[in-house]
Amino acid sequence: MHSDWYLFKDLKRKPLQRNNWIPLRAIEHQRKIGTFGNIGYLRDTFACGSVAIPIAHRELAERLGWSDIGLIHETRPYADEDGYKPADKFLLDWSEPEPSGVSLVINQSFGFERPAEWHLHQDLVIALGLIREGDVWVRPDEDFIDVVRMHKDNEGEPKKIEIRTEFLRDYLKARKMALRIAWYRDRDSIIDEAEQIDWRDEPPTLKEENYRFEARFHEVHKGSGMPFGGQTAVFTARRTDVYPEDDVPEFDEEGENNTSSESRTFGDPGEKVFRVEGEIWAEEWIEPAQFSPRVAYDKPPSSASFIVDTSGTRETADVLDDEDIGKYLWFRPDVANDILGRRNGSITWYTKYTGAVQLTYGYPTHFGINDLGLLNTYAYDVAKLPEWQRIIWQGYNVAPDGGVCRELLAAQMEVNPAGTLPPEKHIPIALRDLEILFGKCFEGRLFRDHAAKEDILGEVHRFRALRPNGLYDLAKDVTRLVTEDLDVKSLHKIAPPEGKDGRGSLKSLERLVAKELANPEDAAHLLSFMHAIYALRGMTSHLPSSDASQDPFRMLGIDANAPTIEQGRQLLHATMYFLAELARLLFEKSKS
């Protein structure tokens, strides 16, 4: 290693507060190679401890260093005649119960029988709205973002627990506290040549307030790492009045008459090698934030802004956060895919062109889809969202174009909701009704209901058509949902195939419809919708047919010139029509 490595010149002396993550407790070897005492041994260690201190007692806590809040500090309860100290409480003066701080990580040791447990303070967990998933604490209200994470070694021993700086400072602000951290860095190695260590004759040291550095250079014995040329002394003392045959031995006080001793010294036979080491001890403060939006529900100025007119004028979310604002916003429809692609994302459909998306319970955002395929929302509905969601919407905001969705205006301004049907909402209902009606008419099941059905249903929406080849992928999922899920064995029991042909799922269903529910011509027409969807799913890998009558777009009523989001709706409308017609035929048979 270069001599500068031990002096930590590769590290910037910047406050921990500038990092994205703050360690609350740590003892980790960032690098560890070889065995101590042998050439090639190298260790790079980081360790820290911390305690949250009320701002009112900050001056008193300035004296706290590594020996006070480092790893030597025990987080355990203490009881005596004067009272009880909880495990999380840190006494700034052991002679007085107050003032005190709070340990945000509580260490519980079990000796050598099992790894220690590091407990994250429950108040921190509850205040920030966290849940633990494995060794990570996430915040569901912010898209399940990782807020705290614990790192362990291969034996399961905790080595570091750290928290996102933004969340820690939010919590500290709410509690009127600052975090005192004491940390330690150590770089240590064994080398066989010392010429590259240019400071070996005068190892540098530095001592400042809240910062201390020491470098060391030693000649040691290879293998043991003991100082070179040193001697080891061994002293042995034993009693001479031990009689094993005594049934109940008793021993007098030790003295010259009943004890003996001996000593010896020896040197280490190992050859000379060199130990080089650099150490840092430092203390820092992590300051509270200016605002605490999560814990104290402060409302800092919003950084999100939105275009509100055709000239590109922007207004901040704070200005638009008014129920009587009287303005609408326009967004690229891709924002829906962004929201639905997140862990908590959900969508609810109301009418043919209106619905609501939601990332956090209690914060639905109502939208409409205009003639150009853009999403409209009432400005207040976006402006009232938590800041992190405003930022998401801001990324898809565009200038007004194509007007406001007529169905959205009718519902929100005229209090006259449209009576149109969204296919996304009714396809699951139609599938359920079909299964019930089929069971009333015949023995057996219409669908097999495979394990992925609910997941596929969640992906069957018009916004899928926005992606490259999205319309074809949507057709593929409709095929999986309907065609590939048909229980062919059940269909064959009702309408057996003749010979080897007609055993496919669609042909089998068409034969059943023609035999039991309608005439062959109507059966063929009804099944042509699913045949067309099946053909559409393969258009990513196959050229479309030159026969216009076999064009899936024409057969499904899809306008090739319409916005892709509208093409997705038209595909799903054709699916809904097929399911509804099949359900009607089954209903009529169940009544006959």
Side-chain angles (χ1 to χ4, degrees):
M1 280 294 179
H2 191 276
S3 61
D4 286 348
W5 183 75
Y6 305 95
L7 308 181
F8 298 93
K9 290 189 175 182
D10 57 320
L11 300 179
K12 295 179 180 179
R13 282 189 62 183
K14 67 175 183 179
L16 288 174
Q17 187 162 284
R18 295 183 187 174
N19 296 338
N20 291 329
W21 293 85
I22 300 296
L24 298 176
R25 182 179 176 87
I27 173 62
E28 64 171 346
H29 299 304
Q30 297 182 339
R31 292 176 66 188
K32 187 174 182 181
I33 304 171
T35 305
F36 178 73
N38 293 307
I39 296 171
Y41 168 77
L42 182 146
R43 186 186 67 193
D44 187 352
T45 300
F46 171 77
C48 82
S50 66
V51 62
I53 302 293
I55 296 294
H57 305 311
R58 176 170 176 153
E59 184 176 349
L60 184 60
E62 286 284 355
R63 62 177 172 77
L64 298 178
W66 178 253
S67 60
D68 304 296
I69 59 175
L71 298 182
I72 194 173
H73 167 57
E74 291 187 347
T75 51
R76 62 181 181 85
Y78 177 80
D80 61 16
E81 62 276 6
D82 296 325
Y84 180 80
K85 183 195 82 68
D88 67 320
K89 191 172 186 177
F90 181 90
L91 298 181
L92 291 171
D93 185 345
W94 273 90
S95 64
E96 298 291 339
E98 296 295 342
S100 63
V102 176
S103 297
L104 299 182
V105 175
I106 301 171
N107 175 45
Q108 185 180 16
S109 298
F110 301 94
F112 296 100
E113 296 297 322
R114 54 173 294 167
E117 291 282 350
W118 289 3
H119 303 282
L120 190 62
H121 200 294
Q122 284 187 335
D123 186 72
L124 178 69
V125 172
I126 295 171
L128 290 174
L130 309 181
I131 59 173
R132 184 172 182 173
E133 296 182 341
D135 289 327
V136 177
W137 287 259
V138 301
R139 178 172 162 87
D141 280 354
E142 291 188 49
D143 199 24
F144 289 84
I145 185 174
D146 293 356
V147 176
V148 180
R149 55 193 185 191
M150 184 187 299
H151 305 268
K152 296 180 178 178
D153 61 21
N154 294 334
E155 284 72 44
E157 191 80 32
K159 59 181 183 179
K160 182 166 69 173
I161 186 167
E162 55 187 354
I163 182 172
R164 284 189 188 271
T165 308
E166 176 187 359
F167 290 79
L168 171 63
R169 296 184 67 203
D170 186 309
Y171 177 76
L172 293 173
K173 167 63 177 178
R175 293 202 62 174
K176 296 180 173 58
M177 286 180 158
L179 190 76
R180 181 71 167 176
I181 292 183
W183 58 268
Y184 168 78
R185 287 295 304 263
D186 174 42
R187 286 179 171 177
D188 190 6
S189 72
I190 301 294
I191 59 177
D192 56 350
E193 297 291 341
E195 285 72 18
Q196 72 269 30
I197 309 301
D198 51 20
W199 45 261
R200 60 185 180 275
D201 295 328
E202 295 185 25
T205 62
L206 177 65
K207 188 171 183 179
E208 301 175 349
E209 184 178 6
N210 297 321
Y211 186 88
R212 180 163 61 94
F213 168 79
E214 292 183 12
R216 302 187 188 89
F217 178 86
H218 299 292
E219 297 177 344
V220 298
H221 285 282
K222 181 180 179 181
S224 69
M226 299 295 290
F228 187 77
Q231 295 284 313
T232 300
V234 179
F235 179 82
T236 304
R238 60 174 62 87
R239 297 188 68 109
T240 58
D241 57 347
V242 178
Y243 305 103
E245 62 274 10
D246 287 353
D247 291 335
V248 184
E250 293 184 10
F251 297 94
D252 297 330
E253 184 179 352
E254 297 93 340
E256 294 182 358
N257 296 328
N258 58 5
T259 60
S260 66
S261 63
E262 60 185 36
S263 64
R264 60 190 178 95
T265 60
F266 58 90
D268 193 321
E271 61 185 90
K272 181 166 65 175
V273 292
F274 306 97
R275 182 183 182 185
V276 190
E277 187 178 15
E279 291 181 291
I280 296 174
W281 295 263
E283 297 84 43
E284 293 186 30
W285 285 103
I286 305 299
E287 306 294 347
Q290 185 178 1
F291 300 99
S292 173
R294 299 174 182 87
V295 183
Y297 300 103
D298 294 340
K299 291 188 175 181
S302 175
S303 63
S305 64
F306 301 92
I307 304 171
V308 295
D309 59 32
T310 54
S311 64
T313 303
R314 283 185 170 271
E315 292 186 356
T316 67
D318 291 336
V319 172
L320 299 174
D321 190 8
D322 180 354
E323 194 167 4
D324 298 322
I325 192 66
K327 296 179 184 292
Y328 278 86
L329 301 176
W330 282 253
F331 299 92
R332 287 186 289 113
D334 310 72
V335 66
N337 279 328
D338 190 330
I339 291 172
L340 294 176
R342 296 171 186 264
R343 181 167 166 180
N344 243 15
S346 65
I347 187 169
T348 302
W349 291 94
Y350 301 136
T351 67
K352 186 176 180 179
Y353 292 112
T354 67
V357 288
Q358 182 170 265
L359 271 172
T360 303
Y361 178 76
Y363 287 93
T365 304
H366 299 271
F367 68 84
I369 304 170
N370 73 6
D371 292 341
L372 297 182
L374 296 176
L375 257 63
N376 297 123
T377 71
Y378 190 58
Y380 169 70
D381 285 347
V382 170
K384 71 180 180 181
L385 294 172
E387 180 71 359
W388 68 277
Q389 293 186 41
R390 294 169 172 173
I391 299 300
I392 294 173
W393 282 92
Q394 177 185 248
Y396 296 92
N397 183 219
V398 296
D401 196 6
V404 177
C405 170
R406 289 185 290 274
E407 290 190 349
L408 187 64
L409 282 175
Q412 293 184 329
M413 296 300 167
E414 300 173 6
V415 196
N416 183 28
T420 56
L421 300 177
E424 291 93 341
K425 182 176 182 178
H426 290 273
I427 285 175
I429 297 173
L431 289 170
R432 182 199 63 199
D433 291 347
L434 273 175
E435 190 64 69
I436 295 172
L437 289 167
F438 189 87
K440 289 182 178 180
C441 296
F442 310 106
E443 291 184 2
R445 295 175 59 86
L446 179 59
F447 298 109
R448 292 176 293 130
D449 283 345
H450 51 74
K453 185 172 183 176
E454 289 302 318
D455 292 335
I456 298 172
L457 275 171
E459 286 289 304
V460 174
H461 55 77
R462 68 192 75 180
F463 294 107
R464 287 281 303 285
L466 298 172
R467 306 169 188 170
N469 294 323
L471 186 67
Y472 308 126
D473 290 338
L474 181 57
K476 187 181 300 182
D477 275 346
V478 170
T479 300
R480 294 171 62 199
L481 192 64
V482 181
T483 305
E484 295 179 4
D485 196 32
L486 289 169
D487 191 331
V488 177
K489 291 182 179 180
S490 181
L491 299 178
H492 287 178
K493 290 180 181 179
I494 303 165
E498 297 178 0
K500 296 181 179 179
D501 296 329
R503 291 181 174 272
S505 54
L506 290 181
K507 284 294 184 181
S508 298
L509 181 58
E510 181 178 339
R511 187 170 54 252
L512 181 146
V513 173
K515 177 184 176 184
E516 301 286 345
L517 305 176
N519 61 56
E521 292 76 15
D522 289 342
H525 173 72
L526 180 60
L527 269 296
S528 68
F529 287 92
M530 293 311 300
H531 284 295
I533 292 174
Y534 187 84
L536 191 63
R537 71 185 286 278
M539 289 182 66
T540 54
S541 55
H542 302 287
L543 291 173
S545 171
S546 58
D547 185 353
S549 66
Q550 299 300 312
D551 177 16
F553 278 75
R554 187 194 65 80
M555 297 170 67
L556 295 169
I558 298 175
D559 183 357
N561 297 316
T564 54
I565 189 172
E566 175 62 10
Q567 292 179 4
R569 187 202 65 79
Q570 291 167 349
L571 168 61
L572 296 178
H573 177 79
T575 305
M576 186 177 72
Y577 173 80
F578 163 78
L579 297 173
E581 279 297 296
L582 182 56
R584 182 184 63 81
L585 294 173
L586 287 169
F587 178 76
E588 290 178 354
K589 180 175 179 62
S590 69
K591 296 300 182 183
S592 61

